[in-house]
Amino acid sequence: MNLPLTNLTPLGAQPVLERWLSGPRFGALPLPEGGSPAPALSFEFFPPKTEALETQLWTCIRRLETLAPRFVSVTYGAGGSTRERTHATVIRLVEETNLIPAAHLTCMGASRGEIDEIAARYWEGGVRHIVALRGDLPPGVEDVGADGYQSAIELVEGLRRVADFEISVAAYPEVHPRAASPEADLDNLKRKLDAGATRAITQAFFDSNTYLRFLDRCLAAGITAPIVPGILPVTNFAQAKKFSELCGTVIPDWMAHLFEGLDADPETRRMVSLVLAAEQVRLLQANGVDEFHFYTLNRPDLTYAISHLLGVRPTAPAPAETPAA
């Protein structure tokens, strides 16, 4: 039975074909060409608390190792709460992989002497890259203490005195929650770089324009060091929302809408996450960004797939990954 077109058009709405033909045209994002260089990648892991999580971490490491990242970083808990686990993971990376590890190091809750000793241990263990962060104070501690590094700027300066480390620092496209102003936050970033840091890695963000506008501000402030975008593929939206509220990252309304109703549907969440993160990095790549830092949460599958879409190919066969919620 053939129905008239008027029965398929909502009352008062513009006819379908007219709407399609009169609407704006959007060109596709360019795909990486075979002759163009793939972007440089780096990956962040966190030290495991249990044997099961240790296995998960090393499954992740072995899968992503095949992509030959520029470096991989290992996080450091508030007030040095994961100090020994971070150190053990980093040293194992040196001894058992071809990866270049970067150890996160925060200066809260420790004296300068303690921090310098930790840094010296890393250097002696073959670690040449530090991610220098101010970090958070341990619970119940109200100030750094006169004998501690007071800021990430001082930490960078101190690390330079210990050894010739490559140093990465943090950047905040949406402004650090404790910054006095966007201008003060940007000045703090410049001072960290001027103190001897090699690059900055951004806090996760979900609006690509936020990062691109931040680059404009950095250049206007005289910053010329690489500002590497930190990419967080989101599979657990509730968890990501909680994290974002703590660090001042804005979750756009459209993103919340896309995850709506998927709390009990992990497989669809994974597919939505892949599309969102892939669109984000491809848009940045089309704007000339040629380096990305992925917050893996010790789960390799989405990061591996997104890296493939960026044009990165493994240097060896990748171990199979079991899907996780």
Side-chain angles (χ1 to χ4, degrees), residues 86-120:
T86 298
H87 187 271
T89 300
V90 170
I91 296 302
R92 186 177 172 188
L93 283 166
V94 171
E95 295 175 346
E96 299 182 18
T97 75
N98 293 319
L99 297 167
I100 298 174
H104 283 223
L105 184 59
T106 66
C107 55
M108 296 293 95
S111 68
R112 295 180 185 229
E114 289 173 320
I115 295 297
D116 291 353
E117 182 181 353
I118 293 168

Side-chain angles (χ1 to χ4, degrees), residues 188-199:
N188 188 64
L189 172 59
K190 188 174 188 304
R191 291 171 64 196
K192 288 188 289 188
L193 293 165
D194 290 346
T198 310
R199 72 175 57 77

Side-chain angles (χ1 to χ4, degrees), residues 46 97 121 144 158 191 197 242 266 302:
F46 61 84
T97 75
R121 283 178 61 202
V144 180
R191 291 171 64 196
K242 182 178 180 181
L302 288 177

Side-chain angles (χ1 to χ4, degrees), residues 16 51 100 123 134 159 210 226 240 249-250 252 261 264-265 273:
V16 174
E51 185 174 338
I100 298 174
W123 186 267
R134 180 180 184 273
L159 290 172
T210 297
T249 298
V250 174
D265 189 349
S273 177

Side-chain angles (χ1 to χ4, degrees), residues 41-43 45 65 68-74 90 93-94 97-103 126-130 166 199:
L41 304 180
S42 55
F43 305 128
F45 308 122
E65 182 181 13
R70 176 170 289 181
F71 65 90
V72 297
S73 66
V74 182
V90 170
L93 283 166
V94 171
T97 75
N98 293 319
L99 297 167
I100 298 174
V127 179
R128 299 293 182 263
H129 188 170
I130 298 288
E166 179 178 1
R199 72 175 57 77

Side-chain angles (χ1 to χ4, degrees), residues 129 156 160 165-169 192-193 196-200 224-226:
H129 188 170
V156 171
R160 281 280 171 235
F165 287 108
E166 179 178 1
I167 302 173
S168 296
V169 293
K192 288 188 289 188
L193 293 165
T198 310
R199 72 175 57 77
T224 58

